[in-house]
Amino acid sequence: MALKIFNTLTRRLETFIPGGVPKERIEDYPPVTIYSCGPTVYSYAHIGNFRTFVFNDFLRRYLKFRGFKVNHAMNITDVDDKTIAGALKEGITLREYTDKYTHIFFQDLKTLNIEPVEHNPRATESIDAMIDIIAHLDKKGLIYKKDGSIYFSIAKFHRYGRLSNVTSMDMKAGARYDADEYSKEDVRDFALWKAPKDNEPYWDTPFGKGRPGWHIECSAMVRKIFGTTIDIHTGGVDLIFPHHENEIAQSEAAYDEPFVRYWIHVEHLLVEGSKMSKSLGNFFTLRDLLDKGYSPRTIRYLLLTAHYRKQLNFTFDGLNQAAQALLRIDNLIARLNDIKHDAPVNNQVADRCTAFVTAFTETVDDDLNIAGGIGVFFDFVHDINTMIDAGALGRPDAAIVMDTLEKIDTVFGFIFFPEVTPINKEEIEALIEERNKARKEKNFARADEIRKLLLDKGIIIQDTREGTRWIVKS
Ligand code: AMP
Ligand code: ZN
């Protein structure tokens, strides 16, 4: 049995071979290198974005479940038109502005039980790697400068369009492929580096002042972290063109080696038939749904259940059904916990557990078919319930089932969902007040206890000359 993944680049289901060289055993493979396009931190991410981030999480969890090691990066896009405009509007620095939304984003990931990844590079901390790409492209005569900006000449990169099937010839004159208003020689070209405008942050580089174009940011972070061809690059389907097409063009033209082996793209979360997006205004943030009383666990379940290559229509009915499904799981766990009597091991139970894990793996190995995997899981839940009804489980059997649930939850992340304490501002401030009082009374034990209590809730307190401040831990 081998894991097969649909590669957007070849439009085929391919056996997954990290590093490109087949090995006898999964443990012999080098860590799977993954890069996921991260959020632009100008506002709260919406649950459409989180569909893609939950998928990324499932992908890394499944690879680990299958025995692969992973080395995963997800970037933070912290410089673009929207972040710059937001910082200007609030009268704070770009870094202050993007820090705020980066914290919120990481908090939301944690709320959804999304595992931290190995690297979270920020675009603004990877300028050196962007300069390196542009210098390599310059040496090869693939770029030109106009009005202080630097453009990539896509007509000179013959493989352009392999990923998206949009060739440079298809791109119509007059159409706009870049949200920014910059002059260029050919409408099809894209900006690698943008001339500074008034009031905008800029960086000094050997080729002049300015700021990066969006596409080069990801190419640069991939290069800086992994140094060479990576195994997997993910993002939503809206990124195939032009973002990922442009990433391939500039990276492969600069370094003369394949950029990515497997491209994986997640279909959209829809609302009444349209893509959930900020610009259409048809979006819910995670906090919108939590405020309506839905649990993060239910939201994670809903976002995970559809196959990543199928669109998923968001409805409140769907959320309610997700909550019902979770209730079935909780019910099984409660029944297992109720089994107290000792009995010899019932091999039928252990065999059913093994058969379930095998069927689950076979199903999900087929292009990460989590929808099928969840179907197999509920068959298992049904069968175990039937066995409990028949009195076939003693305590050792219940423990085996529990182990199996724990094993499968390393992929799902919704069976034993961590209790996430919602952040309640009043509560935090009351605790800080109590701590200050304890310190005044020299009750340092209680003061430390409160600091730790807050830390457990993801709140860091800082004592400054102006008083005690608190921030959310990312
Ligand atoms: P952004 O912050 O807009 O760059 O988007 C972050 C990620 O969310 C990207 O991978 C997008 O492709 C993805 N994304 C945006 N809208 C949706 C949606 N409605 N459904 C699924 N993924 C989305
Ligand atoms: Zn990207």
Side-chain angles (χ1 to χ4, degrees):
M1 271 303 299
L3 169 60
K4 292 200 164 70
I5 298 178
F6 183 86
N7 188 348
T8 313
L9 188 64
T10 58
R11 291 166 195 83
R12 275 203 311 264
L13 199 60
E14 294 179 8
T15 300
F16 180 61
I17 304 170
V21 183
K23 307 267 183 206
E24 205 132 291
R25 300 172 318 158
I26 286 183
E27 348 22 318
D28 297 337
Y29 281 106
V32 179
T33 46
I34 314 171
Y35 182 90
S36 300
C37 287
T40 308
V41 282
Y42 71 102
S43 175
Y44 291 81
H46 58 66
I47 56 156
N49 302 130
F50 284 118
R51 175 178 190 197
T52 296
F53 298 127
V54 166
F55 168 78
N56 293 336
D57 184 51
F58 153 62
L59 171 68
R60 66 174 273 124
R61 282 166 174 267
Y62 189 66
L63 289 170
K64 289 198 288 180
F65 171 82
R66 290 292 274 111
F68 293 102
K69 297 176 278 301
V70 298
N71 189 9
H72 190 175
M74 184 193 60
N75 74 295
I76 298 293
T77 299
D78 62 349
V79 53
D80 79 324
D81 288 347
K82 289 183 229 150
T83 44
I84 291 172
L88 274 176
K89 199 164 153 225
E90 289 194 15
I92 53 179
T93 64
L94 182 64
R95 182 66 190 221
E96 284 166 336
Y97 184 79
T98 56
D99 266 353
K100 179 168 118 185
Y101 288 107
T102 306
H103 276 306
I104 290 169
F105 177 70
F106 282 118
Q107 190 73 40
D108 285 355
L109 292 185
K110 195 169 168 214
T111 302
L112 285 171
N113 199 18
I114 291 174
E115 285 185 355
V117 298
E118 285 69 25
H119 313 271
N120 286 119
R122 281 172 163 263
T124 56
E125 289 170 0
S126 314
I127 303 286
D128 52 342
M130 299 178 207
I131 294 172
D132 191 64
I133 295 180
I134 294 173
H136 274 81
L137 295 174
D138 190 20
K139 254 189 250 152
K140 296 179 175 174
L142 301 173
I143 63 175
Y144 61 89
K145 204 165 181 177
K146 208 165 175 208
D147 300 333
S149 295
I150 296 174
Y151 296 94
F152 183 90
S153 249
I154 68 167
K156 292 186 181 156
F157 183 71
H158 301 299
R159 293 195 299 282
Y160 196 87
R162 269 203 326 163
L163 181 75
S164 61
N165 250 350
V166 179
T167 66
S168 64
M169 300 307 286
D170 295 336
M171 295 167 75
K172 290 191 198 66
R176 287 232 336 254
Y177 298 103
D178 189 335
D180 299 292
E181 308 282 349
Y182 286 88
S183 56
K184 38 187 161 178
E185 282 173 2
D186 188 321
V187 284
R188 301 170 302 184
D189 296 342
F190 61 92
L192 297 160
W193 196 254
K194 297 179 174 185
K197 291 183 189 161
D198 285 347
N199 293 330
E200 280 193 359
Y202 63 81
W203 286 260
D204 269 317
T205 70
F207 37 82
K209 290 182 172 38
R211 66 175 174 95
W214 171 36
H215 314 302
I216 198 164
E217 296 178 359
C218 290
S219 284
M221 289 183 268
V222 168
R223 186 79 188 172
K224 191 167 175 171
I225 292 170
F226 300 111
T228 183
T229 309
I230 58 166
D231 292 312
I232 299 177
H233 194 316
T234 73
V237 286
D238 54 318
L239 300 189
I240 298 175
F241 180 83
H243 184 51
H244 291 163
E245 198 69 74
N246 291 351
E247 280 187 39
I248 295 175
Q250 66 210 354
S251 291
E252 298 196 351
Y255 300 116
D256 296 313
E257 60 180 19
F259 181 43
V260 171
R261 291 190 186 87
Y262 303 86
W263 284 90
I264 305 182
H265 289 99
V266 183
E267 258 300 346
H268 282 144
L269 184 73
L270 306 182
V271 184
E272 285 161 25
S274 304
K275 174 192 170 192
M276 180 175 284
S277 75
K278 287 268 165 59
S279 50
L280 292 173
N282 60 350
F283 65 92
F284 293 100
T285 65
L286 177 60
R287 284 143 206 251
D288 289 337
L289 297 183
L290 300 181
D291 286 347
K292 286 181 192 295
Y294 292 97
S295 74
R297 183 180 177 217
T298 310
I299 299 163
R300 179 180 174 94
Y301 180 90
L302 179 72
L303 295 178
L304 194 62
T305 42
H307 191 284
Y308 76 96
R309 286 206 290 132
K310 294 213 169 88
Q311 294 179 331
L312 170 60
N313 199 26
F314 174 80
T315 60
F316 285 97
D317 200 35
L319 266 180
N320 293 329
Q321 282 172 25
Q324 287 302 316
L326 291 171
L327 220 56
R328 280 179 66 195
I329 301 173
D330 291 345
N331 184 41
L332 174 67
I333 293 170
R335 294 189 80 192
L336 290 168
N337 284 331
D338 280 348
I339 297 172
K340 301 272 191 268
H341 65 279
D342 272 325
V345 171
N346 179 347
N347 284 332
Q348 270 187 338
V349 177
D351 289 350
R352 184 65 188 89
C353 289
T354 311
F356 156 58
V357 174
T358 305
F360 175 83
T361 310
E362 275 173 6
T363 306
V364 183
D365 265 1
D366 181 14
D367 197 19
L368 304 163
N369 181 5
I370 188 71
I374 291 176
V376 169
F377 172 67
F378 277 107
D379 290 343
F380 171 69
V381 170
H382 173 268
D383 289 355
I384 298 295
N385 271 321
T386 308
M387 287 175 168
I388 297 175
D389 290 343
L393 270 73
R395 214 162 52 170
D397 308 311
I400 290 172
V401 176
M402 222 41 139
D403 283 351
T404 308
L405 293 179
E406 267 165 28
K407 181 168 180 178
I408 225 67
D409 203 38
T410 61
V411 181
F412 287 161
F414 56 65
I415 300 181
F416 302 100
F417 202 78
E419 271 307 314
V420 179
T421 322
I423 297 172
N424 177 333
K425 209 166 156 249
E426 279 79 17
E427 192 192 333
I428 294 168
E429 271 154 18
L431 280 167
I432 288 179
E433 209 170 292
E434 198 197 325
R435 176 173 168 270
N436 286 342
K437 196 162 154 267
R439 289 202 321 161
K440 258 195 218 129
E441 293 166 1
K442 302 218 179 319
N443 182 355
F444 295 115
R446 176 62 185 154
D448 279 347
E449 201 179 316
I450 294 174
R451 177 190 278 280
K452 190 168 173 310
L453 198 83
L454 285 167
L455 198 62
D456 288 344
K457 289 174 190 278
I459 305 295
I460 299 172
I461 49 180
Q462 298 168 331
D463 296 312
T464 70
R465 245 187 291 166
E466 284 73 42
T468 307
R469 272 205 307 250
W470 60 271
I471 56 164
V472 179
K473 195 169 75 181
S474 63

